[in-house]
Structures are given as C-alpha cells and as structure tokens.
Amino acid sequence: MLFRQLEYFVALARERHFAHAADACHVSQPALSEAIRKLEHELKVPLVRRGQKFEGLTPEGERLVHWARRILADRDALTLEVTALQTGLVGELRLGVVPNAATTVALLTDSFCAAHPLVRVQVETNLRSAGIIERIRRFELDAGILYPDRHDTDELLVTPLYQEHQVLIVGSDLLAGKSDSISWSDALALPLCLLTVGMRGRRVIDDALAAEGLSVTPQLETDSVATLFAHVCTGRWASIVPQTWIRTLGVPAGASVLRLQDPSIIAAMVLVTRAEDPGSVVTRALVQTARDASIGDVFGGPHQA
C-alpha cells in the first residue's frame, strides 16, 4: 500500500469525479484509476462503484476512506513534528470559522502567527458549526471556531474561547433617555433590523425570547452584518448584535450600545480540534495559543465595547 494510492482514493471521495480527482492530484485520469484498482486488489475489497462515470463509493469504500484520511493526516503530522524538532514549527493550519467569529478570530490567529511565523494559516469564514465539525472529522480542516451547543463534539477537543453577549445598538434619537441598559419590551418596540431567520446569530435571539413567551418581527432582515450597521448609522434603526462585533467594527456613528435585560442572551464560542494524541504539532500549538490568549478577558462584561 502506497501513500499515493490513499491520496488518490481520498481525492476521488472528495471530488466524486475521476477527472476532477486526477486534476487535484496532478496526474492523468488513467494513472489515478489504475492506482485505485491496485489498492482495491491489495485490500481485497471493492472501493468504488463504477459505470460510465463515478457512481459513488461502495459500503466498504465509505468505511475505509475515513482510515485513509486518518493515515494521511498522521503522516503529515509526523512530517511536521520532525521538521519542528529540526527547524521550528512550519506547515499549514486550516481554520474554519462561523460568521459571528469572523470579527474575533484575529485575537487568536494574530498571536499564533506572531509566535509561529513560518506557519501558513488559511481561514474560512461563513461556515456553519455542523459543517465545521464534519470537516474536522474528515481531516479537511484542522480546527474550527464555533458554537458547541446542539452539536455532537464527542471525541473532539473543545477549548473555551469567550462568552458572546447580545447587545442593542440604536440610533441615539430613538432613545427617550440616556441609560446603559434596556428591557426587552422596550427594545422590541423599536424599529428593528436583524439577521435573517435561521442564521445562528438570529436563532439565539428567537430562542431566548421564546423561553420568555416573547417573539420579534423585525421590519428588515438581512444576512449581512454590514447592512445592519449601515441601517443603524441612519439613526432610524436599532439592531441586536454580539458585543464582539462592537469591539472590531466600532459603534455606528450617532448610535448607542445598551445592555439587554431579562433575559441576558449569552452564547459560548469555542475552539474545536481533533483529540488524537499526540495529533498535529501545529494544532497543538494553536490550542496552546488559545489557552494563553485569554480572549474572554478582552470582552469583559456584556456591555463593554
């Protein structure tokens, strides 16, 4: 069994197309097909269902492709470990991030890159928590920043990063008086623009209100953070956003930030990695950076900008 054969097998499972997999591996399609046939002959089980085109993996292939991914990941981890012993930490870190963490990921990656300047970091944003977890398990991502609730994180290493508090940003002209907090009944009476229903940032609001027998029907919904802030900047709108956005994006011109009371909506943001021991030296370094960074201390209380 050769690593090259496993690489071709994994590429085919990912691309689900012989020609695309061959292109990804920089080989001809006949070479890729022959290598996979030899792997099937050696393992004595069929891995691929073939017809006029790729028709999927066999049940045996679906089970064994996970082992192929793990073997290749362990090979890469061993190579990086040896290199780190010789010259320091090098390689690549693939990090998946949910949209609400896109404004805070720099608190982790900046420190990591400063400590390990030879490591290349690729950050993918606008991913869902479930998708990140699945891609970590498939060895397609090394780590993820996500909300852990409602998701199966068994056999994964979960490192807490910070607590996300929802706050109200509102045009100052809409406020009857100055205050640092507001009740939900008063907030819901304002002209609201919120994230679209189904997005995680909106769901935490809807779930918390439902628990109190309340609901919200905003006049404007969007999937864009920039659009929310742009409307608040007009002075005629209010929105409910994580306080983490305020630190990075700033308070919109002419707006105020108020703490929401009864209930206070809090959600945990965590770093998730594979839990194999010893695992990748790069991933271990990222986890250590997360533990040392104390990102939660940066945000303090729920109404601090």
Side-chain angles (χ1 to χ4, degrees):
M1 184 187 307
L2 302 175
F3 285 129
R4 182 179 67 254
Q5 294 170 318
L6 297 179
E7 289 170 351
Y8 295 171
F9 177 38
V10 168
L12 182 60
R14 181 183 66 248
E15 302 293 338
R16 308 193 71 79
H17 191 283
F18 279 101
H20 295 170
D23 288 342
C25 295
H26 308 291
V27 297
S28 68
Q29 183 175 332
L32 179 135
S33 297
E34 181 60 23
I36 293 177
R37 287 186 187 278
K38 288 182 178 179
L39 180 61
E40 291 175 313
H41 178 75
E42 183 174 348
L43 295 176
K44 296 182 176 58
V45 292
L47 301 174
V48 180
R49 291 189 285 112
R50 296 175 176 85
Q52 294 298 318
K53 58 182 180 179
F54 176 78
E55 296 182 354
L57 300 181
T58 64
E60 296 89 344
E62 292 288 357
R63 292 186 62 178
L64 295 180
V65 72
H66 178 75
W67 286 101
R69 293 188 184 108
R70 173 172 290 184
I71 290 168
L72 293 174
D74 286 345
R75 177 205 59 182
D76 294 341
L78 174 61
T79 301
L80 290 175
E81 190 87 36
V82 172
T83 304
L85 291 172
Q86 295 171 335
T87 62
L89 200 60
V90 298
E92 181 178 275
L93 174 71
R94 301 162 300 175
L95 180 62
V97 178
V98 294
N100 273 10
T103 61
T104 57
V105 64
L107 295 173
L108 175 62
T109 53
D110 179 63
S111 297
F112 178 82
C113 290
H116 309 289
L118 298 181
V119 177
R120 294 177 58 253
V121 179
Q122 293 187 345
V123 180
E124 289 188 53
T125 60
N126 204 30
L127 302 178
R128 294 182 178 271
S129 295
I132 292 173
I133 290 172
E134 176 63 21
R135 290 180 63 185
I136 290 173
R137 288 192 165 125
R138 291 166 64 91
F139 301 92
E140 295 173 358
L141 289 172
D142 301 302
I145 298 178
L146 50 87
Y147 299 103
D149 57 307
R150 300 187 177 186
H151 299 291
D152 176 16
T153 56
D154 289 348
E155 299 181 0
L156 295 174
L157 178 63
V158 178
T159 303
L161 292 178
Y162 58 86
Q163 295 285 332
E164 183 184 85
H165 302 263
Q166 299 290 324
V167 296
L168 182 81
I169 51 174
V170 54
S172 298
D173 292 343
L174 293 176
L175 297 176
K178 295 292 183 181
S179 175
D180 66 349
S181 64
I182 188 172
S183 68
W184 274 96
S185 58
D186 288 340
L188 296 180
L190 295 169
L192 287 171
C193 54
L194 297 177
L195 291 176
T196 304
V197 170
M199 296 183 69
R200 179 60 173 75
R202 172 65 180 278
R203 194 167 65 242
V204 295
I205 297 171
D206 290 342
D207 288 351
L209 290 178
E212 300 296 321
L214 300 171
S215 63
V216 58
T217 306
Q219 184 178 357
L220 185 146
E221 294 182 337
T222 177
D223 61 356
S224 166
V225 175
T227 300
L228 292 182
F229 274 64
H231 278 78
V232 173
C233 283
T234 68
R236 295 188 297 274
W237 295 86
S239 189
I240 300 169
V241 302
Q243 95 284 16
T244 53
W245 292 3
I246 303 298
R247 182 185 182 276
T248 303
L249 302 176
V251 180
S256 299
V257 179
L258 280 69
R259 177 165 44 88
L260 287 155
Q261 296 179 318
D262 303 323
S264 177
I265 302 178
I266 301 174
M269 193 71 75
V270 302
L271 175 70
V272 173
T273 57
R274 289 186 295 276
E276 288 92 347
D277 187 22
S280 164
V281 63
V282 173
T283 303
R284 295 203 311 269
L286 180 69
V287 172
Q288 189 59 53
T289 299
R291 291 170 176 168
D292 294 341
S294 300
I295 296 175
D297 295 342
V298 173
F299 300 112
H303 60 282
Q304 292 189 10

